[in-house]
């Protein structure tokens, strides 16, 4: 796939910008690593959602990248897993934990790559471990570390991969190490330090011998801010930097800067595949030059790059732009050269318009058709984790369709914890004209109207048997006359949802099952050609035929939780999260 680069006529082979089907996680994912077709992840999650199932996995999990199937690899850590590394038949995990599978393991553990069984690697570490790397028969760790097994260490240490014993390798830095990358003849160190082995000219990025720990005096880069991530290459190293606006930088083996790409937020992750450099972070835009100003804002122009971007070997920004959401965004990236894929993890909940909670995988273009369907255009997404000052809810699509809260009779929605963020609870059941009313009202712009094109829309819904009513709107745009409508609602006391689509005549696809059981359910409406269908937790539960020529093109706004704020507004009484609309 040849893409014209921004700022120059450069071309590169890149992975698909559309993420394939993959598991989701109910908490932050900090680390990812590959071994063949197996993907290992670590973080602060306790459950993995795969298909319609929610399966317990305590901060560590593995699945098959070819199928997305969760594997029976389930060691459990009692606190955050911050870094992973794979060496042959062993997966190494590091983080804040004290125990793994109930066994004492202070901050680092070795695990069987196939069975998850703990290796004898066991040490007492004073401090926090942030980074891992494996190579040269050793396992390297970095962080803010003062001692290992009471032996002094200056933020760095290593262990023998065969025996698990503490290794004599002990270079030092004067501040935190965030990243490690083991090369053929060097271990690169990145972080917020000013000195390595007491040498002044080693600000934030340095290289040491993988066996002796001796500083390599030939590598003299000058990063302008702290280094969050590194990836080694034959001809040097790539670094992801924070600071006032983030940076991705390519350095030669001597530390000279080949190129720099600037973003409006920290670059926190970096990897390389086939010569293309992939960058992740909590940025929203990539600057068209290397200039930025107050709070990292681009001063000479920018292009949208939500939490993910790609750069060609010459430093040109590529058109690859999957568009992830969230604040923290992408925390780590890993390439799988064997399968030509890229994995991204972090705190995002949608990528490329699809629900992808905290993990996304991008396959090679030639393999995409085997894993994922052609994806529609994402036009609106709301997870209620962020609001703006005037009470509006952000649109994760990047198209700016904010939801504005309209209330009557004192109706106020409540933000309640859900997963690693928040959901929105609407007013309880009430009778009479003075009942509290709440509706979230979005835009009425043309890109929210499907016409006769395919459309998919849905939400996460929590509804108890006591919250059902004669009719409750979850999502709606338009009315049955004057341009038509599409909607998702819950019908009557039975608590069965339905999807509606039509103009003059509204066609309804009714679910065979109720969702009013006090549990979270995923609802999805699909209008594809002559069929309107409803899915509950990914399972088809009802369908109805619709005319091929039927379209919706309305000037009415998108509404969530009701059709309006007045009396008989079909007020929803439960809790909503992850409301979304795709068109195309």
């Amino acid at each position: 796939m040849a893409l014209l680069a921004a700022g120059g006529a450069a071309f590169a082979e890149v992975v698909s910008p559309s993420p394939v089907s993959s598991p989701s996680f109910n908490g932050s994912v900090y680390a990812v690593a590959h071994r063949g077709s197996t993907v290992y992840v670590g973080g602060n999650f306790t459950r993995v959602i795969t298909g319609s199932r929610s399966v317990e996995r305590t901060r560590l999990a593995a699945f098959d990248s070819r199928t997305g199937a969760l594997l029976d690899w389930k060691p459990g850590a009692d606190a955050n897993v911050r870094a992973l590394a794979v060496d042959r038949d062993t997966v190494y995990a590091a983080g804040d934990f004290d125990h793994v599978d109930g066994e004492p393991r202070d901050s680092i553990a070795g695990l069987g790559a196939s069975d998850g069984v703990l290796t004898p690697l066991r040490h007492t570490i004073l401090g926090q471990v942030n980074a891992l790397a494996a190579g040269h028969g050793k396992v390297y760790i970095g962080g803010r570390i003062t001692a290992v097994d009471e032996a002094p260490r200056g933020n760095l240490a290593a262990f023998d991969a065969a025996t698990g014993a503490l290794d004599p390798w002990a270079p030092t830095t004067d501040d935190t190490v965030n990243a490690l990358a083991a090369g053929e003849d060097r271990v690169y160190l990145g972080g917020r330090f000013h000195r390595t082995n007491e040498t002044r000219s080693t600000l934030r990025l340095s290289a040491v011998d993988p066996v002796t720990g001796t500083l390599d005096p030939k590598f003299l880069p000058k990063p302008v801010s702290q280094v969050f991530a590194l990836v080694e290459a034959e001809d040097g190293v790539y670094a992801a930097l924070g600071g006032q606006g983030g940076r991705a930088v390519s350095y030669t083996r001597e530390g000279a800067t080949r190129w720099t790409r600037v973003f409006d937020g920290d670059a926190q992750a970096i990897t390389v595949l086939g010569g293309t450099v992939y960058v992740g972070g909590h940025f929203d835009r990539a600057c068209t030059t290397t200039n930025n100003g107050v709070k990292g804002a681009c001063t000479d122009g920018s292009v949208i790059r939500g939490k993910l971007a790609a750069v060609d070997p010459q430093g040109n920004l590529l058109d690859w732009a999957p568009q992830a959401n969230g604040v923290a965004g992408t925390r780590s990236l890993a390439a799988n050269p064997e399968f030509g894929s890229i994995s991204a993890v972090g705190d995002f909940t949608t990528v490329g318009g699809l629900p992808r909670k905290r993990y996304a995988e991008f396959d090679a273009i030639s393999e995409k058709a085997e894993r994922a369907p052609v994806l529609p255009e994402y036009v609106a997404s709301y997870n209620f984790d962020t609001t703006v000052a005037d009470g509006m809810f952000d649109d994760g699509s990047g198209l700016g369709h904010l939801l504005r809260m309209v209330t009557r009779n004192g109706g106020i929605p409540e933000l309640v914890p859900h997963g690693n963020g928040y959901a929105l609870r609407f007013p309880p059941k009430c009778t009479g004209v003075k009942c509290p009313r709440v509706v979230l009202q979005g835009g009425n712009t043309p890109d929210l109207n499907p016409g006769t094109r395919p459309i998919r829309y849905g939400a996460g819904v929590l509804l108890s048997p006591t919250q059902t009513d004669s009719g409750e709107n979850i999502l709606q745009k338009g009315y049955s006359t004057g341009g038509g409508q599409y909607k998702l609602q819950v019908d009557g006391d039975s608590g069965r949802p339905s999807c509606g689509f039509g103009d003059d005549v509204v066609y309804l696809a009714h679910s065979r099952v109720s969702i009013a059981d006090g549990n979270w359910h995923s609802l999805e409406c699909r209008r594809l050609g002559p069929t309107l269908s409803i899915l509950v937790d990914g399972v088809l539960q009802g369908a109805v035929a619709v005319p091929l020529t039927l379209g919706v093109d309305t000037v009415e706004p998108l509404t969530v939780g009701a059709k309006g704020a007045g009396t008989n507004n079909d007020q929803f009484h439960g809790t909503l999260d992850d409301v979304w609309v795709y068109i195309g």
Side-chain angles (χ1 to χ4, degrees):
M1 178 180 179
L3 295 178
L4 181 63
F11 296 83
E13 294 293 324
V14 298
V15 295
S16 169
S18 300
V20 300
S21 299
S22 59
S24 293
F25 299 84
N26 73 337
S28 300
V29 181
Y30 298 132
V32 58
H34 296 107
R35 178 178 180 263
S37 63
T38 301
V39 181
Y40 300 92
V41 293
N44 193 29
F45 53 85
T46 56
R47 303 195 73 81
V48 181
I49 299 89
T50 173
S52 59
R53 298 185 305 134
S54 176
V55 183
E56 183 176 358
R57 289 291 188 273
T58 309
R59 301 181 180 88
L60 288 161
F63 56 92
D64 190 319
S65 68
R66 296 168 300 184
T67 64
L70 188 65
L71 302 180
D72 192 28
W73 188 88
K74 49 184 178 182
D78 63 356
N80 295 339
V81 174
R82 296 189 178 276
L84 293 172
V86 177
D87 185 28
R88 300 179 186 178
D89 296 328
T90 305
V91 178
Y92 295 98
D96 305 332
F97 51 82
D98 296 313
H99 294 81
V100 176
D101 279 348
E103 296 291 327
R105 289 296 186 275
D106 183 6
S107 303
I108 186 168
L111 302 155
S114 299
D115 55 18
V117 174
L118 285 162
T119 72
L121 178 67
R122 178 181 170 184
H123 297 275
T124 300
I125 297 175
L126 187 59
Q128 177 173 301
V129 181
N130 297 329
L132 271 176
H136 305 279
K138 305 181 195 299
V139 183
Y140 304 96
I141 61 171
R144 192 166 184 83
I145 303 163
T146 57
V148 178
D149 299 337
E150 299 184 351
R153 286 295 186 269
N155 301 316
L156 294 156
F159 309 97
D160 186 284
T163 66
L166 180 64
D167 193 89
W169 187 85
T172 63
T173 64
D174 63 346
D175 206 338
T176 305
V177 174
N178 296 325
L180 298 171
E184 183 177 344
D185 60 350
R186 290 171 166 173
V187 176
Y188 291 98
L189 321 174
R192 54 187 299 173
F193 52 84
H194 296 81
R195 297 184 182 186
T196 305
N197 292 352
E198 299 298 330
T199 302
R200 290 179 180 272
S201 59
T202 55
L203 181 70
R204 304 184 184 101
L205 178 57
S206 59
V208 297
D209 187 276
V211 177
T212 66
T214 302
L215 181 69
D216 189 332
K218 297 178 181 178
F219 182 67
L220 295 171
K222 296 179 180 179
V224 297
S225 55
Q226 73 168 308
V227 176
F228 283 118
L230 296 169
V231 60
E232 185 267 346
E234 290 184 5
D235 56 354
V237 66
Y238 299 99
L241 279 59
Q244 186 170 311
R247 284 168 165 75
V249 186
S250 172
Y251 295 102
T252 68
R253 283 184 54 83
E254 292 72 37
T257 299
R258 284 198 192 89
W259 53 255
T260 299
R261 297 302 323 180
V262 176
F263 304 89
D264 68 349
D266 288 347
Q268 302 173 142
I270 197 164
T271 194
V272 63
L273 178 67
T276 298
V277 179
Y278 296 87
V279 187
H282 64 77
F283 50 82
D284 296 308
R285 290 182 170 273
C287 303
T288 54
T289 71
T290 57
N291 298 323
N292 61 0
V294 177
K295 297 183 180 179
C298 303
T299 56
D300 298 330
S302 64
V303 292
I304 294 175
R305 291 293 185 272
K307 322 304 178 190
L308 291 162
V311 183
D312 77 4
Q314 290 73 45
N316 296 294
L317 185 69
L318 295 172
D319 286 346
W320 189 78
Q323 291 299 101
N325 71 340
V327 177
T330 303
R331 292 184 179 272
S332 185
L333 290 166
N336 187 338
E338 183 178 349
F339 290 87
S341 63
I342 296 290
S343 294
V345 299
D347 288 288
F348 49 80
T349 56
T350 63
V351 178
L354 288 172
R356 289 293 182 270
K357 291 190 174 182
R358 304 167 186 100
Y359 177 87
E361 184 173 332
F362 306 93
D363 277 0
I365 298 295
S366 60
E367 298 180 6
K368 182 182 65 169
E370 300 175 10
R371 289 280 309 275
V374 176
L375 300 174
E377 182 183 358
Y378 173 54
V379 295
S381 175
Y382 310 98
N383 61 19
F384 308 115
D385 293 343
T386 57
T387 63
V388 292
D390 56 3
M392 293 184 179
F393 292 93
D394 290 342
D395 173 16
S397 75
L399 297 178
H401 300 312
L402 299 178
L403 286 178
R404 176 174 55 90
M405 185 169 62
V406 180
T407 67
R408 183 167 293 181
N409 300 333
I412 299 293
E414 179 184 1
L415 285 170
V416 295
H418 182 214
N420 203 43
Y422 293 94
L424 199 65
R425 180 184 294 157
F426 285 80
K429 286 178 66 173
C430 172
T431 58
V433 296
K434 296 296 185 180
C435 291
R437 312 286 182 185
V438 173
V439 61
L440 306 183
Q441 196 170 79
N444 57 3
T445 55
D447 55 10
L448 294 174
N449 291 329
T452 58
R453 291 176 295 164
I455 180 172
R456 298 168 59 195
Y457 52 96
V461 179
L462 175 66
L463 193 69
S464 73
T466 61
Q467 293 173 324
T468 58
D469 209 335
S470 58
E472 302 182 46
N473 268 28
I474 295 171
L475 178 157
Q476 179 170 322
K477 189 174 194 301
Y479 297 97
S480 58
T481 57
Q485 70 171 196
Y486 59 86
K487 64 180 178 178
L488 170 60
Q489 62 189 17
V490 179
D491 300 323
D493 294 335
S494 67
R496 295 180 181 179
S498 66
C499 300
F501 193 92
D503 188 359
D504 293 328
V505 176
V506 177
Y507 297 83
L508 293 173
H510 296 277
S511 169
R512 293 185 290 264
V513 299
S514 172
I515 60 166
D517 57 5
N519 296 312
W520 279 100
H521 294 282
S522 172
L523 305 184
E524 180 179 339
C525 301
R526 293 181 181 174
R527 188 274 169 97
L528 299 174
T531 305
L532 175 67
S533 54
I534 182 167
L535 290 81
V536 178
D537 297 324
V539 178
L540 180 67
Q541 294 292 352
V544 64
V546 297
L548 276 170
T549 57
L550 181 62
V552 171
D553 188 2
T554 175
V555 298
E556 298 296 335
L558 177 73
T559 62
V560 173
K563 64 183 180 183
T567 305
N568 300 322
N569 68 335
D570 292 337
Q571 181 69 62
F572 181 73
H573 300 301
T575 307
L576 297 180
D577 201 357
D578 298 321
V579 179
W580 50 270
V581 181
Y582 309 151
I583 296 175

